Amino acid sequence: MAKGITETDVHTAADEIVAAGERPTVERIRAHLGTGSPNTVTRWLDTWWKQLGERLQKQQSHRALPKAPDAVASLAGEWWSLAMEHARANAEIAISQRSEALQAEQAALKTAKEEFRDEAALLRQQAADATQLRELAQARAVELERLVHQLQGQNRELARQCEAAHARVTEAESQRQVAEARLQTQQDQAASERDDLIRHVRAVEDRAHAEVDRGRQEVLELKQRLASVTREHDAARKSQLKDIEAARTEAADACRDAAAQRARAEVLDAQLARLQRLPSAVEKALKQATSSTKLKRTPKRSQRSA
């Protein structure tokens, strides 16, 4: 209800609208007053129509002429009856129109109420969906935070593994360098020992050849002396035979020594071959360590991508 709208305001506005030659309606009264609730205006307009007959009778009584002729009084009565019928017809039309307007307003209000109820149900459903989405978002946020912490831990673990792998690679590189240096030293030693062995074998062979040459020379000398000195020849022959036997024994010892030296040279060659294969073995071990490190990294990266 609009504040300040009274029954007198509505009745005055209706009188002014009638004086202007128009039929008073709710819309016209509201437009005339510039404000007012439709329900309030309708209620006060109904009282205006109900009081209209009484007001007309009062106006008629005030305007009645004293000692009026019967014909004039009869015409005045007929005019009043017509005015009343006309006012009643207008009132019925206005009431019918107002009733239809009220029914239309009620239907509109009912439709608006149903729409409001549907909209409220939709809003409640949207609010429930929003609450569910918010809870889901919160759960996802918690899960994402857990995954972030997990990934941070994995990153720290990967960094630690990388540092350990780098340390292992550095250590392996150092070991490889040491092995290469040791291999080079052993190769140098083996080459030196082999050269010494070759020189020793050559010296033994040269000495054996020299002994054989000397034995041959002595045999020739003994043959030259054989004709003249048989006993000396026999003694010399025996001595020569002893010398030859000793030379043979020494030659056999030299041969055994040479065989031992050859066996040692073969052992050194085998050791040298193993030492030569050592860098490839170290490189293979490094590759295996690198591959193992990559394999350890791969699951961590897959989990992070997930």
Side-chain angles (χ1 to χ4, degrees):
M1 182 182 298
K3 186 178 180 180
I5 301 300
T6 63
E7 183 179 10
T8 302
D9 295 333
V10 174
H11 289 184
T12 303
D15 292 339
E16 293 176 354
I17 291 172
V18 170
E22 296 179 352
R23 185 175 62 85
T25 61
V26 176
E27 289 75 11
R28 288 174 180 173
I29 292 174
R30 292 184 64 198
H32 184 78
L33 294 175
T35 183
S37 172
N39 294 330
T40 303
V41 174
T42 300
R43 185 169 65 254
W44 298 142
L45 182 61
D46 291 340
T47 60
W48 182 83
W49 284 111
K50 291 178 181 178
Q51 296 176 5
L52 180 60
E54 183 179 355
R55 290 171 60 195
L56 290 175
Q57 288 179 358
K58 289 180 180 180
Q59 290 179 1
Q60 182 64 28
S61 62
H62 292 160
R63 294 177 181 178
L65 296 175
K67 298 180 182 181
D70 292 338
V72 174
S74 177
L75 289 174
E78 292 179 358
W79 181 82
W80 175 250
S81 297
L82 291 175
M84 289 297 294
E85 290 179 358
H86 182 70
R88 189 180 298 107
N90 290 334
E92 290 177 354
I93 292 172
I95 292 172
S96 177
Q97 291 178 350
R98 182 55 191 162
S99 177
E100 292 177 357
L102 288 174
Q103 290 178 358
E105 290 180 358
Q106 289 177 355
L109 289 173
K110 183 178 180 181
T111 302
K113 184 178 180 181
E114 291 177 353
E115 291 178 353
F116 177 77
R117 184 172 60 251
D118 294 339
E119 185 176 359
L122 180 60
L123 290 175
R124 285 194 296 270
Q125 182 63 35
Q126 291 178 352
D129 294 340
T131 303
Q132 184 177 2
L133 289 175
R134 184 186 63 187
E135 294 175 354
L136 180 60
Q138 291 176 351
R140 288 181 177 177
V142 173
E143 180 65 18
L144 287 174
E145 185 175 0
R146 185 185 67 80
L147 290 176
V148 166
H149 290 311
Q150 182 178 359
L151 289 175
Q152 289 177 351
Q154 291 177 358
N155 287 333
R156 289 192 295 269
E157 179 65 19
L158 285 175
R160 186 187 64 78
Q161 291 180 0
C162 287
E163 292 177 356
H166 181 70
R168 288 196 298 271
V169 170
T170 303
E171 184 179 359
E173 180 65 21
S174 178
Q175 292 178 357
R176 185 183 66 82
Q177 293 177 358
V178 172
E180 287 181 352
R182 187 182 302 168
L183 176 61
Q184 185 64 36
T185 302
Q186 290 178 354
Q187 287 177 349
D188 294 339
Q189 291 177 356
S192 178
E193 290 179 358
R194 184 176 56 188
D195 294 338
D196 293 339
L197 181 60
I198 291 172
R199 287 193 297 269
H200 179 70
V201 171
R202 288 178 180 176
V204 171
E205 289 178 351
D206 292 340
R207 188 168 64 250
H209 289 310
E211 292 293 335
V212 172
D213 291 339
R214 188 179 68 181
R216 288 175 181 176
Q217 184 65 33
E218 289 179 355
V219 169
L220 291 175
E221 291 177 356
L222 288 173
K223 285 181 179 181
Q224 291 175 0
R225 294 173 59 187
L226 182 60
S228 60
V229 184
T230 302
R231 287 180 299 182
E232 291 180 3
H233 173 63
D234 292 335
R237 185 178 179 184
K238 290 179 181 180
S239 179
Q240 183 67 31
L241 289 174
K242 290 180 180 180
D243 292 335
I244 292 173
E245 186 66 23
R248 288 179 179 176
T249 301
E250 187 177 359
D253 294 336
C255 290
R256 285 194 297 271
D257 192 8
Q261 294 296 332
R262 289 192 185 95
R264 186 177 180 185
E266 290 176 357
V267 171
L268 291 175
D269 289 336
Q271 292 179 356
L272 179 60
R274 287 196 299 271
L275 291 174
Q276 288 177 348
R277 291 193 298 270
L278 182 60
S280 61
V282 172
E283 185 177 0
K284 184 178 180 180
L286 289 174
K287 289 182 179 179
Q288 290 179 354
T290 305
S291 300
S292 177
T293 304
K294 289 182 178 179
L295 290 176
K296 289 181 179 179
R297 291 180 182 176
T298 302
K300 301 295 182 179
R301 293 179 178 175
S302 300
Q303 293 178 2
R304 182 172 59 187
S305 301

